[in-house]
Amino acid sequence: MPELPEVEVVRRGLGPQLTGRTVAAVQVLHPRPVRRHLAGPADFAATLVGRTFDVPSRRGKYLWLPFTDGDAVLAHLGMSGQFRVDAPDRPLARNTRVVLSFTDGGQELRFVDQRMFGGLSLSRDGAVLPPEIAHIARDPFDPAFDLGEVGRRLRRRRTGLKRALLDQTLVSGIGNIYADEALWASRLHWARATDTLPAAAARDVLLAARDVMAAALQQGGTSFDALYVDVNGSSGYFSRALAVYGQADRPCPRCGTPVVRDSFMNRSSYRCPRCQRRPRSARW
């Protein structure tokens, strides 16, 4: 699943391609990506025509494309959703599901989704913040993100630390990859009980998450395969800089101890067993 850096890369790529452009036509090539638009694919296509895009927005992992009239297209990338920008005469990429063309006749916006877990939907009055995602917390890059308050809320939880970091109602944008990297940077075990954390440790792990996501953003995000690319089809390169995520049996960059893989919530969690020792007080 794309996390904050990957979604932000897409948002930045879409900005100059969409802002101020008016939709001329919409082709829905498969109905599943617009399944959340209950009036159906034909209505989804018709209701977008004639609208003008404003600057794309993001909160955490969630992306939306505002219109100047106050509505928005809410985009969920799922596991394999991509926005691609191509000239109208370019052949469609395999698994292209929705195509938007514009009144200026320039490059089209194409939504590509191999597995079709993602999708697009019209959000009424969603230009500032779609009501569908109003429950999502601010992310560490949001100017209104309150580090002290989020740290206090984190410490009031009675759960494991990684579970808390993945809770998008507490802090958004952090997924499995950047949670593991932030925990490694903070020397904290993923099962550490949140209510045992000192205030400084809570602050440090949130700052570490912000820092590692900022570093990933500079390298275009993290790509392990062709399912995540930017609007031009390019992959991100932060996978080359990962300290522990996906690095089982490789040496910890800090102490040289082989990284281990733990089972976590039907997924995997990676850590250095020396730098991130399992605490006596732990919660799964």
Side-chain angles (χ1 to χ4, degrees), residues 65-243:
L65 313 177
F67 291 116
T68 55
D69 62 12
D71 292 340
V73 172
L74 180 59
H76 180 51
L77 299 181
M79 296 181 68
S80 58
Q82 305 171 4
F83 279 112
R84 303 290 290 275
V85 175
D86 276 309
D89 59 354
R90 288 284 302 273
L92 296 179
R94 185 180 180 185
N95 302 314
T96 299
R97 309 303 186 187
V98 181
V99 179
L100 277 69
S101 57
F102 297 91
T103 56
D104 59 17
Q107 290 186 307
E108 296 177 337
L109 178 66
R110 300 171 176 179
F111 184 70
V112 181
D113 194 355
Q114 175 181 322
R115 299 181 181 177
M116 292 197 289
F117 293 141
L120 309 176
S121 59
L122 181 69
S123 176
R124 299 288 183 185
D125 300 317
V128 175
L129 177 65
E132 297 88 344
I133 61 169
H135 63 289
I136 299 299
R138 297 183 185 275
D139 64 65
F141 293 93
D142 192 312
F145 182 77
D146 188 331
L147 178 64
E149 175 58 25
V150 176
R152 286 188 289 273
R153 290 178 58 204
L154 174 66
R155 295 173 63 226
R156 289 197 294 265
R157 299 289 178 96
R158 294 182 60 82
T159 187
L161 179 53
K162 184 172 178 179
R163 281 181 181 267
L165 293 175
L166 297 179
D167 183 350
Q168 302 300 297
T169 66
L170 175 68
V171 53
S172 66
I174 306 171
N176 212 32
I177 296 172
Y178 301 114
D180 281 358
E181 293 295 299
L183 290 166
W184 175 81
S186 305
R187 299 175 180 261
L188 292 167
H189 191 285
W190 55 266
R192 174 71 180 264
T194 51
D195 54 351
T196 69
L197 281 176
R203 178 180 180 275
D204 287 350
V205 73
L206 291 168
L207 288 175
R210 185 193 66 186
D211 291 346
V212 71
M213 290 192 293
L217 184 56
Q218 291 179 348
Q219 297 189 43
T222 300
S223 298
F224 294 111
D225 52 36
L227 295 184
Y228 163 68
V229 293
D230 66 16
V231 298
N232 299 310
S234 300
S235 298
Y237 295 101
F238 193 66
S239 58
R240 301 174 182 178
L242 293 170

